[in-house]
mmCIF file of all heavy atoms in Angstrom:
data_model
loop_
_atom_site.group_PDB
_atom_site.id
_atom_site.type_symbol
_atom_site.label_atom_id
_atom_site.label_comp_id
_atom_site.label_asym_id
_atom_site.label_seq_id
_atom_site.Cartn_x
_atom_site.Cartn_y
_atom_site.Cartn_z
ATOM 1 N N ASP A 13 4.392 0.887 1.565
ATOM 2 C CA ASP A 13 4.598 0.946 0.106
ATOM 3 C C ASP A 13 4.903 2.400 -0.281
ATOM 4 O O ASP A 13 5.033 3.254 0.606
ATOM 5 C CB ASP A 13 3.355 0.428 -0.628
ATOM 6 C CG ASP A 13 2.096 1.224 -0.334
ATOM 7 O OD1 ASP A 13 2.170 2.206 0.428
ATOM 8 O OD2 ASP A 13 1.048 0.892 -0.923
ATOM 9 N N ASP A 15 3.046 4.699 -1.653
ATOM 10 C CA ASP A 15 2.028 5.666 -1.229
ATOM 11 C C ASP A 15 2.172 5.981 0.255
ATOM 12 O O ASP A 15 2.085 7.146 0.655
ATOM 13 C CB ASP A 15 0.644 5.068 -1.540
ATOM 14 C CG ASP A 15 -0.502 6.090 -1.312
ATOM 15 O OD1 ASP A 15 -0.238 7.315 -1.320
ATOM 16 O OD2 ASP A 15 -1.665 5.669 -1.199
ATOM 17 N N ASP A 74 -3.129 6.504 4.198
ATOM 18 C CA ASP A 74 -3.076 5.293 3.408
ATOM 19 C C ASP A 74 -3.428 4.007 4.177
ATOM 20 O O ASP A 74 -3.114 2.922 3.745
ATOM 21 C CB ASP A 74 -1.638 5.153 2.808
ATOM 22 C CG ASP A 74 -1.619 4.129 1.666
ATOM 23 O OD1 ASP A 74 -2.655 4.011 0.932
ATOM 24 O OD2 ASP A 74 -0.603 3.438 1.518
ATOM 25 N N HIS A 96 -7.756 5.696 1.358
ATOM 26 C CA HIS A 96 -8.562 5.225 0.246
ATOM 27 C C HIS A 96 -8.834 3.731 0.323
ATOM 28 O O HIS A 96 -8.947 3.051 -0.712
ATOM 29 C CB HIS A 96 -7.924 5.640 -1.086
ATOM 30 C CG HIS A 96 -6.646 4.923 -1.384
ATOM 31 N ND1 HIS A 96 -6.366 4.355 -2.607
ATOM 32 C CD2 HIS A 96 -5.557 4.639 -0.625
ATOM 33 C CE1 HIS A 96 -5.160 3.791 -2.580
ATOM 34 N NE2 HIS A 96 -4.654 3.976 -1.404
ATOM 35 N N HIS A 97 -8.881 3.216 1.544
ATOM 36 C CA HIS A 97 -9.161 1.805 1.746
ATOM 37 C C HIS A 97 -10.518 1.597 2.447
ATOM 38 O O HIS A 97 -11.096 2.534 2.943
ATOM 39 C CB HIS A 97 -8.074 1.133 2.611
ATOM 40 C CG HIS A 97 -6.744 1.073 1.922
ATOM 41 N ND1 HIS A 97 -5.831 2.060 1.955
ATOM 42 C CD2 HIS A 97 -6.184 0.098 1.130
ATOM 43 C CE1 HIS A 97 -4.757 1.741 1.279
ATOM 44 N NE2 HIS A 97 -4.959 0.543 0.761
ATOM 45 N N GLY A 116 -7.796 5.982 -6.479
ATOM 46 C CA GLY A 116 -6.706 5.019 -6.638
ATOM 47 C C GLY A 116 -5.550 5.183 -5.729
ATOM 48 O O GLY A 116 -4.735 4.258 -5.554
ATOM 49 N N CYS A 117 -5.457 6.328 -5.049
ATOM 50 C CA CYS A 117 -4.251 6.582 -4.262
ATOM 51 C C CYS A 117 -4.511 7.674 -3.186
ATOM 52 O O CYS A 117 -5.230 8.634 -3.426
ATOM 53 C CB CYS A 117 -3.147 7.071 -5.196
ATOM 54 S SG CYS A 117 -1.542 7.330 -4.399
ATOM 55 N N THR A 118 -3.922 7.509 -2.023
ATOM 56 C CA THR A 118 -4.037 8.542 -1.000
ATOM 57 C C THR A 118 -3.457 9.879 -1.513
ATOM 58 O O THR A 118 -3.980 10.953 -1.202
ATOM 59 C CB THR A 118 -3.246 8.128 0.283
ATOM 60 O OG1 THR A 118 -3.661 6.846 0.681
ATOM 61 C CG2 THR A 118 -3.498 9.116 1.442
ATOM 62 N N ASP A 148 0.483 3.211 -6.974
ATOM 63 C CA ASP A 148 -0.773 2.587 -6.599
ATOM 64 C C ASP A 148 -1.651 2.228 -7.797
ATOM 65 O O ASP A 148 -2.358 1.226 -7.786
ATOM 66 C CB ASP A 148 -1.585 3.525 -5.653
ATOM 67 C CG ASP A 148 -1.308 3.228 -4.213
ATOM 68 O OD1 ASP A 148 -0.356 2.496 -3.911
ATOM 69 O OD2 ASP A 148 -2.066 3.746 -3.320
ATOM 70 N N LYS A 295 -6.886 -4.660 -3.327
ATOM 71 C CA LYS A 295 -8.011 -3.965 -2.665
ATOM 72 C C LYS A 295 -9.313 -4.199 -3.372
ATOM 73 O O LYS A 295 -10.384 -4.298 -2.722
ATOM 74 C CB LYS A 295 -7.665 -2.463 -2.718
ATOM 75 C CG LYS A 295 -8.640 -1.560 -2.056
ATOM 76 C CD LYS A 295 -8.355 -0.152 -2.463
ATOM 77 C CE LYS A 295 -6.969 0.227 -1.978
ATOM 78 N NZ LYS A 295 -6.509 1.439 -2.637
HETATM 79 MN MN1 MN B 1 -2.338 3.614 -1.176
#
Side-chain angles (χ1 to χ4, degrees):
D13 61 359
D15 188 20
D74 196 34
H96 68 134
H97 292 88
C117 184
T118 308
D148 266 14
K295 182 193 297 166

